[in-house]
Amino acid sequence: MRFAVAQSGGPTAAINASLAGVYEAAMDIQRKLRSEGSSEKVEIFGVLHGVQGLLDGKLINLEERLSDPQKLALLKKTPASALGSCRFRLPPPEQDDSMYHKLLDVLNAHRIDALFYIGGNDSMDTVAKLSTWLTAHGSKIRIIGVPKTIDNDLVGTDHTPGFGSAVKYLMTTMQEILRDCSVYQVQSVTVVEIMGRDAGWLTASTCLLRRNGETAPHYIYLPESDFTVAGFLADVREGLKTHRSVVCAVSEGVTPPDAALFRSGVNDEFGHAYLSGIGKYLEKQIAAEIGCKVRSVELNIMQRCSAHIASYTDLLEAERCGIHAGWLAYSGASGVMVNMQRNSDAYTYEITYGEFPASQTANQIRKFPAEWISPEGNQVTDDAIGYFLPLIQGEVYPDMHNGMPVHFLF
Ligand code: F6P
């Protein structure tokens, strides 16, 4: 058996744990086959830069690079996509299937039996299209999706690997921001811009700070609610009546009617706008209309690859998703994404790993639930705390050298 594994879309602190998980599954399958008396060898390759790299035949042997357990352990804790990534959409095969033929040629040339694609909702589009096309063309190559995204917006899974670590970084950073912002006696407003293109899960998670006795963020704005600058300024004015330092969490996906004023207008290869700038824009509005001390903080890519404060639960689940994917391929499945189902009551948190049709996740967005948003659309209710809390439990300590974290590099 020959496996190939690729990473796609935005990086996270947990995506390499899933890569390690697929590798571990391949080694476990090898051991199982041996114990059954089979001489069949399981080999595993990494694809550089996702499906784009696959088209160019960019495959590397993983066993040569990961057989040392220390290296494998370091890979799991290393942030960002160690194999490199892409944002690349396969054309609809009914319009042009030349790329599919090319991919089949590359996969056949390397005698690959299963391809694992670690990614988000756009990457599941690749899993769905490629698996359907291969099956229709008589190929037995299996394509399995492994979920990941800090946006937590994949349909068909309770949450996504990468999200928990981003939340943990966000809670830590927000607490530090709150300490800093409260030192002076002057009135001030701080606007924190948080990633999440189409859904506000990450921004909403700042409600967790209440569990540790914080009263901020005083306002939380998500793409799921209508937003106007006038309404925002009214909230801030109201907040300043009772708080010397008002802190607002704003999702990058919040789009006021005049968003064109601060967005670059540049799109990625999937056609998504590069979002950035709402925080700075709101800072300027406050300066002009309210005139108090004001700062904006754009957490930007720091929240995606914050391995120094990763969630142990997140990394473990990411690894288990990778392992489950390996066994799904071994059982003959294709065109599915690994999913996580939560079986919890008030005292326990347990995850069952399963599968979900990739076609039903592809290009879909799981929005933050409306029932967890306050009627004013500027806060998240306490009901959401129980959802977020288990995802940030447990610590991961980076390996250090010369006082700095050590990362695994291929
Ligand atoms: O992967 C999701 C995400 O991190 C979004 O939160 C963000 O809007 C987007 O990726 C940024 O994309 P890029 O990596 O192309 O800058």
Side-chain angles (χ1 to χ4, degrees), residues 34-324:
R34 280 211 190 113
S35 73
E36 291 169 354
S38 165
S39 59
E40 194 182 346
K41 180 148 176 49
V42 181
E43 288 174 276
I44 176 158
F45 299 85
V47 180
L48 304 179
H49 298 289
V51 72
Q52 229 169 358
L54 188 60
L55 282 164
D56 296 332
K58 291 185 175 161
L59 276 75
I60 57 170
N61 185 305
L62 286 188
E63 202 176 344
E64 282 167 10
R65 293 164 171 89
L66 295 178
S67 57
D68 174 350
Q70 281 187 337
K71 285 191 179 160
L72 190 64
L74 185 59
L75 173 68
K76 289 181 200 172
K77 299 201 234 181
T78 296
S81 321
L83 291 168
S85 189
C86 71
R87 291 203 187 270
F88 185 77
R89 190 186 292 281
L90 288 174
E94 56 281 8
Q95 274 173 26
D96 175 10
D97 72 352
S98 54
M99 265 186 207
Y100 295 78
H101 283 285
K102 182 82 199 292
L103 289 170
L104 179 58
D105 288 347
V106 174
L107 291 168
N108 279 339
H110 290 84
R111 293 181 285 117
I112 300 298
D113 298 294
L115 171 69
F116 301 88
Y117 212 52
I118 311 172
N121 33 23
D122 295 328
S123 311
M124 294 311 140
D125 178 71
T126 303
V127 173
K129 281 177 177 159
L130 188 56
S131 59
T132 305
W133 187 91
L134 287 171
T135 306
H137 285 75
S139 167
K140 297 248 179 317
I141 300 171
R142 285 143 258 174
I143 313 291
I144 307 284
V146 185
K148 77 80 225 176
T149 170
I150 64 157
D151 290 357
N152 199 39
D153 61 354
L154 298 196
V155 170
T157 183
D158 177 78
H159 58 281
T160 55
F163 177 64
S165 293
V167 172
K168 197 168 172 103
Y169 168 83
L170 184 56
M171 294 314 108
T172 311
T173 304
M174 282 298 278
Q175 277 187 302
E176 290 166 356
I177 288 172
L178 298 183
R179 296 292 79 76
D180 183 295
C181 288
S182 60
V183 298
Y184 300 119
Q185 295 195 72
V186 294
Q187 282 201 318
S188 70
V189 181
T190 308
V191 181
V192 183
E193 178 180 325
I194 297 159
M195 271 186 164
R197 192 169 40 216
D198 304 301
W201 291 94
L202 194 52
T203 309
S205 74
T206 54
C207 72
L208 259 180
L209 290 165
R210 277 181 238 150
R211 183 51 75 98
N212 273 14
E214 302 287 357
T215 50
H218 304 100
Y219 301 103
I220 300 177
Y221 301 97
L222 313 178
E224 284 82 353
S225 300
D226 292 337
F227 181 90
T228 63
V229 174
F232 168 77
L233 290 172
D235 287 345
V236 170
R237 282 196 182 96
E238 194 57 33
L240 285 169
K241 287 182 188 163
T242 40
H243 305 285
R244 198 178 63 236
S245 161
V246 169
V247 177
C248 310
V250 184
S251 168
E252 64 171 2
V254 163
T255 305
D258 53 354
L261 292 176
F262 61 87
R263 296 233 165 105
S264 69
V266 178
N267 291 352
D268 68 15
E269 283 162 303
F270 269 108
H272 306 302
Y274 286 115
L275 302 182
S276 172
I278 178 86
K280 185 55 83 186
Y281 171 75
L282 295 176
E283 177 194 315
K284 286 182 184 157
Q285 299 294 322
I286 293 168
E289 301 294 328
I290 299 179
C292 63
K293 179 182 181 205
V294 57
R295 268 185 205 284
S296 58
V297 180
E298 188 183 337
L299 296 179
N300 210 301
I301 56 175
M302 280 90 83
Q303 64 212 296
R304 286 204 297 207
C305 289
S306 45
H308 63 285
I309 188 73
S311 153
Y312 177 77
T313 300
D314 185 32
L315 263 53
L316 190 66
E317 290 178 346
E319 181 183 359
R320 288 185 175 162
C321 282
I323 294 172
H324 193 73

